[in-house]
Amino acid sequence: MRQAGRINALALAEMAAVVRPGIATRELDALAEKVITQHQGVPAFKGYPGPYPYPFSVTVSVNEELVHGLPGPRVLRAGDVVSLDCGTVYQGFYADSAITVGVGTLSPLAQRLVEITEQALHVGIKWMRPGQRTGDSAAAMQVFVEDHGFRMVRDYTSHGIGRHMHEDPEVRYYVKPGTGTLLRPGMTIALEPMVLVSSGETRVKPDRWTVVSADGAPTAHFEHTVAVTEGEPEILTLPEDT
Ligand code: MG
Ligand code: MG
């Protein structure tokens, strides 16, 4: 899973490095697929079951699109908020991580949203310790997000990961601390705050994959695959040199 995580981090970093006005979202998908396969990984998203098998290696979700955006001919423009989500399988083990990046300069609201979402992920990671429960992490992230005036998604969750991309436990938001699965060393969880501006409500676009904010406002999403250890939580989806 560490190796899958490193490859996945590299794919995200290479995509982020080429995000600019004028690039089409399908170019990002092609780049990530190249990086993953060059490192003997397999794109985990391609063919993933859903309304129809997921056709691409990454999801690219722009502005009001929160998650599961389909890459395509859409061209990015300055001011767009772009969430990149990617999964890698390496020798049967999965990693899943996501980042949100701005194209050029973002509006102050969007910039703040992105910063708070990334910080919320790290708030949640701090709770990934033996003896805590999944609800402790989820509630801490949600409180952090709400304290900064934003809303956590209602209908999507963080999740266990390992020999499959989505495993138990499901880590829901809008739960109380002290609830959920007791964390033990060796558990691996894909922690992924999805943050919205005025409400946590979403809807799905007619393409049946893309999830958008109900209020039409920009959204942000960060994710790491994290291992619970005897001590500090270990983030598995970091580049090799960190
Ligand atoms: Mg993901
Ligand atoms: Mg995930």
Side-chain angles (χ1 to χ4, degrees):
M1 286 184 71
R2 283 193 185 98
Q3 186 56 24
R6 286 185 188 121
I7 297 166
N8 214 55
L10 191 58
L12 286 178
E14 297 226 1
M15 280 191 284
V18 300
V19 162
R20 60 173 186 275
I23 195 164
T25 58
R26 64 184 168 205
E27 295 177 71
L28 301 175
D29 178 66
L31 175 60
E33 181 165 326
K34 190 177 87 175
V35 171
I36 292 168
T37 54
Q38 273 176 349
H39 290 81
Q40 288 73 54
V42 176
F45 286 11
K46 200 168 240 187
Y48 195 84
Y52 47 94
Y54 190 75
F56 301 102
S57 296
V58 302
T59 67
V60 183
S61 307
V62 183
N63 296 334
E64 79 283 2
E65 297 174 354
L66 174 65
V67 287
H68 308 167
L70 297 162
R74 180 176 186 163
V75 168
L76 297 179
R77 300 190 306 178
D80 283 344
V81 182
V82 184
S83 297
L84 305 167
D85 193 352
C86 186
T88 294
V89 198
Y90 183 80
Q91 295 185 5
F93 288 91
Y94 284 71
D96 183 11
S97 55
I99 55 174
T100 299
V101 295
V103 184
T105 306
L106 295 182
S107 72
L109 174 70
Q111 182 65 37
R112 185 81 177 136
L113 177 71
V114 172
E115 289 169 7
I116 293 302
T117 307
E118 184 167 25
Q119 290 170 22
L121 171 58
H122 290 280
V123 167
I125 290 171
K126 287 193 184 123
W127 288 86
M128 301 301 290
R129 290 173 168 277
Q132 306 295 340
R133 291 184 180 269
T134 53
D136 294 319
S137 177
M141 287 193 280
Q142 187 178 345
V143 165
F144 180 83
V145 161
E146 291 179 353
D147 280 351
H148 289 86
F150 295 117
R151 297 288 173 263
M152 191 67 90
V153 72
R154 279 199 177 272
D155 294 334
Y156 296 87
T157 70
S158 296
H159 54 93
I161 180 169
R163 289 185 181 272
H164 303 277
M165 193 159 66
H166 293 105
E167 297 182 352
D168 287 340
E170 186 181 63
V171 184
R172 299 193 68 81
Y173 306 105
Y174 298 88
V175 297
K176 290 189 180 355
T179 62
T181 301
L182 185 64
L183 297 174
R184 289 180 281 116
M187 284 183 171
T188 44
I189 308 265
L191 214 55
E192 49 179 321
M194 300 163 219
V195 179
L196 302 94
V197 169
S198 71
S199 101
E201 305 300 325
T202 57
R203 61 182 177 79
V204 179
K205 282 173 75 165
D207 67 27
R208 294 189 287 155
W209 271 106
T210 310
V211 177
V212 296
S213 60
D215 63 9
T219 62
H221 175 213
F222 280 83
E223 178 178 28
H224 273 308
T225 296
V226 180
V228 180
T229 76
E230 301 284 353
E232 294 291 316
E234 181 181 348
I235 300 174
L236 301 180
T237 37
L238 291 174
E240 194 154 18
D241 57 358
T242 55

